[in-house]
């Protein structure tokens, strides 16, 4: 999962959590439950244990408020399990203490006061570990603990905890609503223990404080109910009815359990038909509340079921996608491997064809060399024949004539002497010229020129085909007859491959080729006026590999330099031996 995806998921989960918390504070249970469920799914996927625990705590509170007590217990236990695996930081301790407090409330609702009391004590012990002033939070759990003691009949213990809370002199100023709640509970504990000395004054004090903070608020319902119970017990029916009806009127705004208890209380205080009327209203409302609780529990169960169904569907879709991905990957890999096999086969065929072509070219070149050698041999023989003919025939006759003319020198006339001298000088000149020609013909001055002729013929043919101009320069000091056929074949092929590359890639119009001899090393230089390329970035193709392979076979070296829009130069050095 990418970091961006994780951030989006966290933001989405936090939004659901905050909306769920807002609905919970507004007592809109079903909407709150839905958003908490959405946040829970994401936090589980992200394995964010603390945020998951916070979300499950919110769900547990909603379930407790809606009387889904067993589900609330299970959610709370999961919260505790998650928090046990985390480092005990301040926020972990705070959430754990709140969860224990919720478990205390759940077991109190179930009438299992012993378990309720143990969870409240755990909550109080954790709250005492929290940093800062946590007295108010501790007093809230103490009030809940005292309530469980009161409901279990442990009135003395309940009074002790209520007294501890009321000892806080700042409580009435800091939290007057809580002070009134605790004072009312303390007074009711006195009433249940038959201690009436401070009653009903404590009730009136509590009612005055709570009405000053929140007139007609929730706490005033309980206080009015307790006053009605007290006066009914004292047989003061008028006062009992007054406070019972007052409690009912305020509870009517909330339409909850306190309205139910108010109707029951009136049915106990009133008599005859009036008592029957309110008892019927009590029964009707009780049935309605139970149906509503069942409907909410069913709605929660439906939300859980639908959520589970969606999760299963998502798992199914994810599995299908995974298989689709696996199949796709297998197909892609198989196709790629098949492509490699086919490509390799074609490459092998191409290499075999190139090898055969090279062998054929070498055979052709060898034939050309052999043919050229035959021609050169015939030429040499012909030159030798002409030389012998000139030397033995023409020169002999000219020499005889010159001797005859020399004999004419016996004539002493000036004209004869002059004419003979001119003829003799001319014959000498002819003799020298013929001797020179004979000597040059007899010397094999074109020896070794066959390879250059082959290169020249090849260049003329190939450049004409490629639409190029060429210039060929060669060093006459290179005795090609002393160079092995293998070296000449490789040089020929390198020139051929270079011309092919120039035509295919360079877009050149002129190529210069020169042969030089340096320290018994043949230096071949080829440069063009083409587009050039980046030597460092260019890929080494089959042609270049073949050129390097040929150079290695003759123990030579190759160097390629190039400049964009200027041209490329290939320099090859090959030893003669």
């Amino acid at each position: 999962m990418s970091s961006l995806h994780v951030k989006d998921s966290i933001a989405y989960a936090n939004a659901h959590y905050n909306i769920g918390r807002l609905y919970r504070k507004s007592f809109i249970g079903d909407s709150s439950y839905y958003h908490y469920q959405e946040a829970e799914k994401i936090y589980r996927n992200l394995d964010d244990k603390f945020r998951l625990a916070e979300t499950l705590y919110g769900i547990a509170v909603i379930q407790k408020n809606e009387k889904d007590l067993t589900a609330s217990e299970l959610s709370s236990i999961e919260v505790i399990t998650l928090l046990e695996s985390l480092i005990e930081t301040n926020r972990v301790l705070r959430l754990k203490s709140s969860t224990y407090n919720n478990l205390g409330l759940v077991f109190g609702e179930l009438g299992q006061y012993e378990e309720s009391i143990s969870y409240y004590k755990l909550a109080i012990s954790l709250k005492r570990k929290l940093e800062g002033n946590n007295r108010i939070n501790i007093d809230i759990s103490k009030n809940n603990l005292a309530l469980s003691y009161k409901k279990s009949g442990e009135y003395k213990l309940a009074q002790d905890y209520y007294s501890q809370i009321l000892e806080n002199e700042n409580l009435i100023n800091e939290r007057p609503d809580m002070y009134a709640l605790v004072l009312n509970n303390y007074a009711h504990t006195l009433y249940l223990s038959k201690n009436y000395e401070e009653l009903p004054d404590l009730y009136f004090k509590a009612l005055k404080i709570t009405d000053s903070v929140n007139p007609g608020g929730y706490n005033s319902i309980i206080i009015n109910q307790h006053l009605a119970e007290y006066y009914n017990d004292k047989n003061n029916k008028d006062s009992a009815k007054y406070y019972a009806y007052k409690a009912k009127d305020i509870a009517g705004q909330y339409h909850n359990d306190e309205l139910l208890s108010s109707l029951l209380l009136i049915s106990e205080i009133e008599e005859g038909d009036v008592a029957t009327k309110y008892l019927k209203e009590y029964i009707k409302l009780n049935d309605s509340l139970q149906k509503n609780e069942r409907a909410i529990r069913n709605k929660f169960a439906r939300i859980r079921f639908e959520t589970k169904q969606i999760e299963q569907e998502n798992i199914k879709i994810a599995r299908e996608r995974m298989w689709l991905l696996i199949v796709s990957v297998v197909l892609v890999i198989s196709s790629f491997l098949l492509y490699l096999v086919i490509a390799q086969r074609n490459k092998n065929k191409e290499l075999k064809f190139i090898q055969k072509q090279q062998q054929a070219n070498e055979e052709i070149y060898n034939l050309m060399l052999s043919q050229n050698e035959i021609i050169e041999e015939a030429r040499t023989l012909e030159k030798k024949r002409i030389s012998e003919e000139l030397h033995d025939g023409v020169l002999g006759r000219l020499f005889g004539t010159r001797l005859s003319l020399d004999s004419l020198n016996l004539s002493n006339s000036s004209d004869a002497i002059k004419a003979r001298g001119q003829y003799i000088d001319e014959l000498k000149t002819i003799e020298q010229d013929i001797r020179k020609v004979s000597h040059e013909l007899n010397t094999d001055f074109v020896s070794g020129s066959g390879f250059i002729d082959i290169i020249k013929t090849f260049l003329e043919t190939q450049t004409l085909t490629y639409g190029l101009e060429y210039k060929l320069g060669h060093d006459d000091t290179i005795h090609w007859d002393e160079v092995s056929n293998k070296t000449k074949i490789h040089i020929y092929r390198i020139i051929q491959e270079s011309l092919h590359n120039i035509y295919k890639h360079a877009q050149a119009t002129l190529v210069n080729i020169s042969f030089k001899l340096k320290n018994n090393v043949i230096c071949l230089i080829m440069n063009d006026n083409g587009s050039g390329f980046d030597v460092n970035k260019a890929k080494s193709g089959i042609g270049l590999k073949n050129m390097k392979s040929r150079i290695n076979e003759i123990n030579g070296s190759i160097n390629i330099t190039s400049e964009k829009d200027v041209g490329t130069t290939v320099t090859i050095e090959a030893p003669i031996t």
Side-chain angles (χ1 to χ4, degrees), residues 146-163:
L147 184 63
S148 288
Y149 276 127
K150 183 180 74 170
K151 288 182 177 180
S152 65
E154 299 284 346
Y155 301 129
K156 181 66 174 65
L157 289 172
Q159 289 175 33
D160 290 343
Y161 278 104
Y162 286 134
S163 297

Side-chain angles (χ1 to χ4, degrees), residues 298-533:
N298 290 338
K299 192 171 186 178
F300 288 170
R302 189 165 60 253
I303 292 173
R304 287 196 297 271
F305 173 75
E306 290 173 354
T307 301
K308 205 71 176 176
Q309 203 173 32
I310 291 170
E311 288 176 355
Q312 293 298 327
E313 191 67 27
N314 288 338
I315 292 171
K316 182 181 177 182
I317 292 170
R319 190 180 293 113
E320 289 175 353
R321 287 179 178 174
M322 182 186 69
W323 279 111
L324 180 62
L325 178 62
I326 291 171
V327 171
S328 300
V329 170
V330 170
L331 286 174
V332 169
I333 292 173
S334 300
S335 301
F336 180 70
L337 291 175
L338 183 61
Y339 166 78
L340 286 179
V341 170
I342 295 172
Q344 189 63 37
R345 285 181 178 177
N346 291 336
K347 190 174 182 181
N348 291 339
K349 288 180 181 178
E350 184 179 354
L351 287 173
K352 287 180 180 178
F353 175 77
I354 291 171
Q355 288 174 354
K356 288 180 179 179
Q357 189 179 39
Q358 288 177 347
Q359 290 174 358
N361 288 337
E362 288 176 2
E363 290 175 1
I364 292 170
Y365 180 74
N366 286 330
L367 288 173
M368 290 172 62
L369 286 178
S370 299
Q371 185 66 28
N372 192 66
E373 287 176 359
I374 292 170
I375 293 171
E376 287 298 318
E377 186 179 353
R379 187 183 299 172
T380 302
L381 290 173
E382 181 65 17
K383 287 189 291 181
K384 187 176 181 182
R385 186 188 66 79
I386 295 171
S387 175
E388 290 175 350
E389 183 69 24
L390 286 172
H391 187 274
D392 298 338
V394 177
L395 286 179
R397 290 194 299 273
L398 287 175
F399 181 72
T401 303
R402 182 174 62 80
L403 290 176
S404 299
L405 288 173
D406 282 340
S407 65
L408 294 176
N409 282 333
L410 298 175
S411 176
N412 294 325
S413 66
S414 59
D415 292 336
I417 293 171
K418 184 177 179 181
R420 283 195 298 270
Q422 290 175 348
Y423 284 122
I424 290 170
D425 289 339
E426 185 176 352
L427 285 173
K428 285 181 180 180
T429 301
I430 292 171
E431 180 183 352
Q432 289 175 355
D433 290 341
I434 291 173
R435 193 180 298 278
K436 183 179 177 182
V437 170
S438 176
H439 178 74
E440 288 177 352
L441 284 171
N442 196 42
T443 303
D444 191 9
F445 68 95
V446 293
S447 177
S449 63
F451 179 72
I452 295 299
D453 291 338
I454 292 172
I455 294 296
K456 186 174 180 181
T457 302
F458 168 72
L459 289 175
E460 288 175 352
T461 304
Q462 206 66 27
T463 53
L464 181 64
T465 303
Y466 290 160
L468 294 170
E469 293 183 6
Y470 81 94
K471 291 181 180 179
L472 175 63
H474 61 92
D475 194 338
D476 292 336
T477 59
I478 301 175
H479 297 287
W480 289 104
D481 290 339
E482 297 176 2
V483 179
S484 66
N485 282 347
K486 180 181 178 182
T487 300
K488 288 187 281 190
I489 289 170
H490 285 310
I491 291 174
Y492 180 89
R493 287 301 179 195
I494 289 169
I495 295 172
Q496 185 183 43
E497 185 63 39
S498 297
L499 281 178
H500 179 71
N501 288 338
I502 292 168
Y503 168 70
K504 189 174 179 181
H505 303 293
Q507 298 177 347
T509 59
L510 175 65
V511 58
N512 291 306
I513 301 172
S514 65
F515 289 97
K516 294 181 181 179
L517 185 64
K518 295 180 180 179
N519 299 325
N520 212 31
V521 173
I522 298 170
C523 182
L524 167 63
I525 301 173
M526 297 182 65
N527 60 68
D528 62 69
N529 63 348
S531 57
F533 63 96

Side-chain angles (χ1 to χ4, degrees), residues 49-63:
K49 292 183 179 180
F50 181 77
R51 295 311 302 268
L52 175 59
E54 279 188 320
T55 306
L56 288 172
Y57 168 74
I59 291 174
V61 172
I62 296 169
Q63 290 167 332

Side-chain angles (χ1 to χ4, degrees), residues 180 201-214 223:
D201 294 340
L202 291 179
Y203 284 136
F204 287 130
K205 182 180 179 181
L207 185 60
K208 182 179 179 181
I209 294 170
T210 194
D211 283 343
S212 67
V213 176
N214 184 19
I223 299 171

Side-chain angles (χ1 to χ4, degrees), residues 222-290:
I222 310 298
I223 299 171
N224 281 299
Q225 287 177 348
H226 289 167
L227 281 167
E229 286 177 349
Y230 172 78
Y231 281 116
N232 187 51
D233 193 48
K234 295 297 183 180
N235 204 26
N236 185 343
K237 294 292 184 180
D238 291 338
S239 295
K241 291 177 184 179
Y242 171 79
Y243 289 110
Y245 278 104
K246 189 175 180 182
K248 180 187 78 70
D249 292 339
I250 299 171
Q253 303 173 24
Y254 298 94
H255 195 74
N256 57 9
D257 289 346
E258 300 311 325
L259 176 58
L260 190 67
S261 58
S262 296
L263 290 172
L264 182 60
L265 181 60
I266 292 174
S267 70
E268 292 173 352
I269 295 172
E270 290 284 6
E271 298 176 352
D273 294 338
V274 177
T276 303
K277 171 191 171 186
Y278 282 104
L279 183 59
K280 288 180 180 179
E281 287 187 19
Y282 165 79
I283 295 170
K284 182 179 179 181
L285 179 60
N286 186 51
D287 290 342
S288 175
L289 289 175
Q290 287 182 357

